Amino acid sequence: MEDTAPEGWRRPRVSMQEHMAIDVSPGPIRPIHLISDYFPHFYPFAEPVRCTPDLLPATATANCSIPQLQLDQEPEADSDDSTALGTLEFTLLFDADNSALHCTAHRAKGLKPPATGSVDTYVKANLLPGASKASQLRTRTVRGTREPVWEETLTYHGFTRQDAGRKTLRLCVCEDPRLRRRRRAPPLGELRVPLRKLVPNRARSFDICLEKRRLTKRPKSLDTARGMSLYEEEEVEAEKAGEERGRILLSLCYTSQRGGLLVGVLRCAHLAPMDANGYSDPFVRLFLHPNSGKKSKYKTSVRRKTLNPEFNEEFFYAGPREELAKAVLLVSVWDYDLGTADDFIGGVQLSSQASGERLHHWRECLGRSDHRLELWHPLDGVAPQLGD
């Protein structure tokens, strides 16, 4: 095509800056305008400011743009996954004196159930890592609201400083399918709190956004199973078999009036599940060896379908303090099975040959008369080897 421009006329030259619509005129440097300056936009945390950059001086334009640049907003992707699911208000208290962790669930706000209408919800708590049902607690169900109020305290007994340094509390807001005859649905949202940040004997309140349930892919060896989902809810594997058998709270007291040792079996916590339903029917056996008294073996009553049983039973072994100092107290926890042999869950041995807290508990009891001392002891996975 021939150029028809008149003679002596030069085609204007467009620089790259002008092509990109950047103002390069002399004077103060003006900020690049955002497209949001020209279109209405809603900010939930700030009053909307209408800017007309072409009509305002440079200083006014800069002042108008600064609040928008400093506005700290969650990314939309995070908002879809977390804040859109609602929030949960709760309080944590680590009672170091009584070895207990108290979790008070207050209320939830802005829940987003998959179905429209009202929802029946409860809060489920787990300590991780560890067996899921061994540390599972739940609140009551609040019916017919998306902003439920529970005001209920869940207590983990036998919670030590070592647990606070290595465990995490998971809280899930779940829909109760039993009240409305629905199929079991995944949690409406969950959150996790590392417990190492808790200060002993000081309550701390939280108001945290709920997140989606974390899923992990099953091992390849399970992928070929027919009808099995490729993904499962993330469960942290148990740490060590010896550490995950559970723990028992014992009280020892040498009574001078009766002339013998008073042993109290108070409760157990986080026992290993032995039955197919994920629970156990635990009871405790006591055996003092050797014992010159009439009876050396006792056992508690059976607690049905629980991993955190409470017994509060006491047993007496008669004998002078010198003989008891040479004896060995074997405490074992069993799962009761009707018609078959009972399953061993875990045990603990107290004697002058023990070590750590077990030795301290035994010596402190026999060294001070009429002094009751309660201590938690982790259960070993090895059954007692002494004869009957």
Side-chain angles (χ1 to χ4, degrees), residues 34 43 45-46 62-74:
L34 303 176
Y43 294 98
F45 306 107
N63 294 336
C64 180
S65 302
I66 288 177
Q68 296 179 357
L69 296 176
Q70 292 182 347
L71 188 62
D72 187 12
Q73 287 183 295
E74 294 287 340

Side-chain angles (χ1 to χ4, degrees), residues 176-247:
D176 197 334
R178 297 174 297 177
L179 300 181
R180 298 183 181 274
R181 296 182 180 179
R182 297 173 180 171
R183 297 181 59 186
R184 184 176 180 181
L188 301 179
E190 72 168 35
L191 57 89
R192 304 190 182 199
V193 181
L195 300 176
R196 62 179 178 272
K197 298 183 179 180
L198 293 182
V199 179
N201 303 320
R202 182 182 300 177
R204 182 176 177 181
S205 299
F206 298 84
D207 187 3
I208 303 180
C209 297
L210 296 171
E211 301 176 351
K212 289 183 178 180
R213 181 184 59 171
R214 301 181 184 181
L215 298 178
T216 180
K217 194 171 183 179
R218 290 180 180 268
K220 294 183 178 180
S221 58
L222 300 179
D223 291 346
T224 56
R226 189 172 186 178
M228 182 176 291
S229 174
L230 293 179
Y231 292 87
E232 61 183 356
E233 185 175 357
E234 180 183 20
E235 296 288 350
V236 182
E237 296 181 357
E239 303 161 80
K240 293 181 181 179
E243 297 179 356
E244 289 301 323
R245 308 302 295 183
R247 55 195 65 180

Side-chain angles (χ1 to χ4, degrees), residues 8 12 50 56 66 107 172 183 211 214 223 258 272 352 360:
R50 185 176 181 181
L56 295 178
I66 288 177
R107 62 184 60 84
C172 301
R183 297 181 59 186
E211 301 176 351
R214 301 181 184 181
D223 291 346
R258 302 177 60 181
S352 57
H360 169 71

Side-chain angles (χ1 to χ4, degrees), residues 306-366:
T306 178
L307 300 177
N308 299 278
E310 185 174 355
F311 299 99
N312 292 321
E313 300 182 26
E314 288 187 338
F315 306 93
F316 179 73
Y317 289 102
R321 186 179 309 179
E322 294 75 14
E323 292 185 3
L324 292 174
K326 302 177 182 179
V328 177
L329 178 63
L330 299 178
V331 182
S332 55
V333 184
W334 299 78
D335 170 46
Y336 175 78
D337 289 327
L338 182 61
T340 60
D342 300 328
D343 298 323
F344 174 74
I345 298 178
V348 58
Q349 177 176 313
L350 303 178
S351 67
S352 57
Q353 287 77 34
S355 60
E357 290 292 334
R358 303 177 183 184
L359 177 60
H360 169 71
H361 200 182
W362 189 253
R363 285 183 174 179
E364 187 72 13
C365 161
L366 298 178

Side-chain angles (χ1 to χ4, degrees), residues 9 26 34-35 47 77 107 123 132 155 226 250-251 280 292 323:
W9 181 83
L34 303 176
I35 193 171
E47 293 293 333
R107 62 184 60 84
V123 176
S132 176
T155 301
R226 189 172 186 178
L250 299 174
S251 68
S280 295
S292 59
E323 292 185 3

